[in-house]
C-alpha cells in the first residue's frame, strides 16, 4: 500500500505546489504585456531614479493570472510570498514597495515592506481606488499603472522616507498636499501627451487646415548598454501631408538590471478588484 500512497502523493503534489515568477528588472517586469516599450522604459527610468535618489526599492509586476504560479493561495498571501522571495527593499530599513497587477484576474495589490505600520494600509487602499482602478476598469492599464505609481511615490514612499506619519482620515491638509503633489508629478509626466494633443491646434504647412495628428512609435528599444530609437510621425488627415522624425531613447539605468536588497514584507498593503 505504501507505493499506492506514494503515487497518489506524487499526482496530488501539483494541486498545492507553488512557484514564483522571476523578475526581468528590479523596477518593472511586464509579463502580461500591458505596456509598450516606451512606457516600460519610462517606468524603469522613474523607479530607477527613485531608488538612486532615496534608496527606496519599488517594483511593479504584471501577470495575466496568478493561477499558473499559486492557484491555491489568496492574492494577499501570493503577493507577500513573492515580495519576500524577491527580497524587495533594503534589508535593514524594509521600506520596499511592490505593485502586482493581474489583468485576467482583474485584481491587483500594493504590498508594503515590514517597516510600514498598518496605518499605511488605508493610504494604499485610497490610492488603489483613486488612481489605479478608474483606468483599469476601462482596460487602460498603461494609464492606471503610470498614475498609480506616481500616487504611491507621492503619498507613501516619499512621506515615509521623510519620517512623516500616515495621514489620518481627518487630516485634510495632508490629504490635499498629497493630491496636489500627485497632480504636479502627473503634469510633468504628461507633458509629451499634452504636446501631441496641442499639435491638433496647429495648421498644416501644406493645406492650412487644422487636421494634424502626431503619433510616436518605438523603432528600437533601449537597453542598459545601448540607446534606443523612436519615430515621430506628423500627418494631416485633410491632404495627406506627412513628416517623420526620429528621436533617441536614453539607455536604461543599469541599476534596474541588478538585484534587490533582501527586504521583506510584513503582510501590509491593500488589494483591489475591478
Amino acid at each position: 500500500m505504501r507505493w499506492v500512497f506514494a503515487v497518489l502523493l506524487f499526482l496530488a503534489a501539483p494541486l498545492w505546489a507553488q512557484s514564483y515568477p522571476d523578475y526581468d528588472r528590479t523596477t518593472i517586469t511586464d509579463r502580461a504585456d500591458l505596456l509598450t516599450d516606451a512606457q516600460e522604459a519610462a517606468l524603469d527610468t522613474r523607479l530607477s531614479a527613485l531608488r538612486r535618489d532615496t534608496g527606496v526599492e519599488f517594483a511593479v509586476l504584471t501577470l495575466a493570472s496568478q493561477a499558473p504560479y499559486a492557484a491555491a493561495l489568496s492574492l494577499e498571501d501570493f503577493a507577500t510570498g513573492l515580495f519576500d522571495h524577491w527580497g524587495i527593499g533594503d534589508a535593514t530599513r524594509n521600506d520596499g514597495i511592490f505593485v502586482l497587477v493581474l489583468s485576467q484576474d482583474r485584481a491587483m495589490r500594493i504590498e508594503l515592506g515590514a517597516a510600514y505600520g498598518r496605518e499605511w494600509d488605508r493610504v494604499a487602499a485610497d490610492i488603489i481606488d483613486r488612481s489605479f482602478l478608474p483606468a483599469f476598469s476601462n482596460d487602460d492599464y498603461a494609464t492606471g499603472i503610470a498614475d498609480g505609481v506616481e500616487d504611491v511615490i507621492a503619498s507613501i514612499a516619499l512621506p515615509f522616507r521623510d519620517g512623516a506619519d500616515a495621514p489620518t482620515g481627518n487630516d485634510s491638509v495632508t490629504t490635499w498636499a498629497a493630491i496636489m503633489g500627485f497632480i504636479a508629478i502627473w503634469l510633468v509626466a504628461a507633458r509629451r501627451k499634452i504636446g501631441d494633443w496641442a499639435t491638433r491646434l496647429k495648421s498644416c504647412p501644406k493645406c492650412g487646415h487644422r487636421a494634424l495628428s502626431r503619433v510616436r512609435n518605438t523603432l528600437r528599444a533601449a537597453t542598459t548598454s545601448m540607446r534606443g530609437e523612436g519615430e515621430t510621425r506628423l500627418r494631416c488627415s485633410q491632404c495627406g501631408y506627412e513628416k517623420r522624425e526620429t528621436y533617441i531613447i536614453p539607455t536604461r539605468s543599469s541599476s534596474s538590471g541588478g538585484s534587490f536588497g533582501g527586504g521583506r514584507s510584513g503582510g501590509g498593503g491593500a488589494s483591489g478588484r475591478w
Side-chain angles (χ1 to χ4, degrees):
M1 293 296 295
R2 288 183 178 178
W3 69 270
V4 175
F5 178 76
V7 171
L8 292 176
L9 187 64
F10 174 78
L11 294 175
L15 297 178
W16 64 74
Q18 66 185 54
S19 61
Y20 295 112
D22 294 327
Y23 58 87
D24 297 330
R25 289 174 287 183
T26 58
T27 52
I28 168 66
T29 299
D30 184 24
R31 294 293 173 81
D33 198 23
L34 304 179
L35 306 174
T36 65
D37 288 343
Q39 291 165 344
E40 194 171 336
L43 188 57
D44 171 60
T45 299
R46 180 72 178 102
L47 296 181
S48 295
L50 177 70
R51 181 175 181 176
R52 181 187 65 244
D53 297 339
T54 69
V56 176
E57 295 179 10
F58 188 153
V60 178
L61 170 65
T62 74
L63 298 173
S65 174
Q66 175 186 324
Y69 301 97
L73 292 181
S74 67
L75 170 62
E76 290 74 18
D77 287 344
F78 178 62
T80 300
L82 184 50
F83 188 110
D84 293 345
H85 179 72
W86 284 4
I88 301 171
D90 179 86
T92 302
R93 297 193 309 270
N94 285 312
D95 57 355
I97 300 174
F98 176 45
V99 169
L100 173 65
V101 178
L102 306 171
S103 56
Q104 291 182 8
D105 296 345
R106 302 187 77 77
M108 69 155 296
R109 180 163 178 83
I110 299 174
E111 187 78 13
L112 300 176
Y116 296 90
R118 290 299 183 181
E119 64 272 16
W120 290 97
D121 294 357
R122 183 189 54 78
V123 181
D126 290 343
I127 292 171
I128 289 175
D129 288 340
R130 72 175 174 241
S131 296
F132 284 99
L133 297 193
F136 285 1
S137 297
N138 295 320
D139 293 328
D140 186 358
Y141 292 103
T143 298
I145 291 172
D147 290 354
V149 164
E150 291 296 346
D151 200 352
V152 172
I153 292 173
S155 302
I156 297 180
L158 296 183
F160 184 83
R161 186 277 312 265
D162 292 338
D165 294 329
T168 64
N170 296 325
D171 193 349
S172 58
V173 175
T174 302
T175 300
W176 276 109
I179 293 174
M180 295 305 295
F182 165 65
I183 292 174
I185 294 172
W186 181 86
L187 288 174
V188 172
R191 64 186 184 277
R192 177 173 288 182
K193 291 183 179 180
I194 295 173
D196 290 343
W197 177 83
T199 300
R200 302 176 184 178
L201 303 178
K202 298 179 180 178
S203 300
C204 172
K206 183 177 180 181
C207 69
H209 287 89
R210 293 182 177 178
L212 293 174
S213 62
R214 184 169 62 182
V215 295
R216 301 173 187 271
N217 296 306
T218 300
L219 302 179
R220 185 181 69 249
T223 67
T224 56
S225 60
M226 183 177 66
R227 293 185 298 179
E229 184 179 21
E231 179 186 66
T232 300
R233 187 181 69 173
L234 189 68
R235 187 177 185 278
C236 177
S237 60
Q238 285 289 330
C239 66
Y241 167 81
E242 188 172 282
K243 180 180 180 181
R244 297 173 182 261
E245 294 181 342
T246 59
Y247 61 91
I248 299 299
I249 301 174
T251 57
R252 295 173 178 170
S253 171
S254 59
S255 64
S256 65
S259 60
F260 291 107
R264 62 181 178 84
S265 171
S271 302
R273 297 182 182 274
W274 60 95

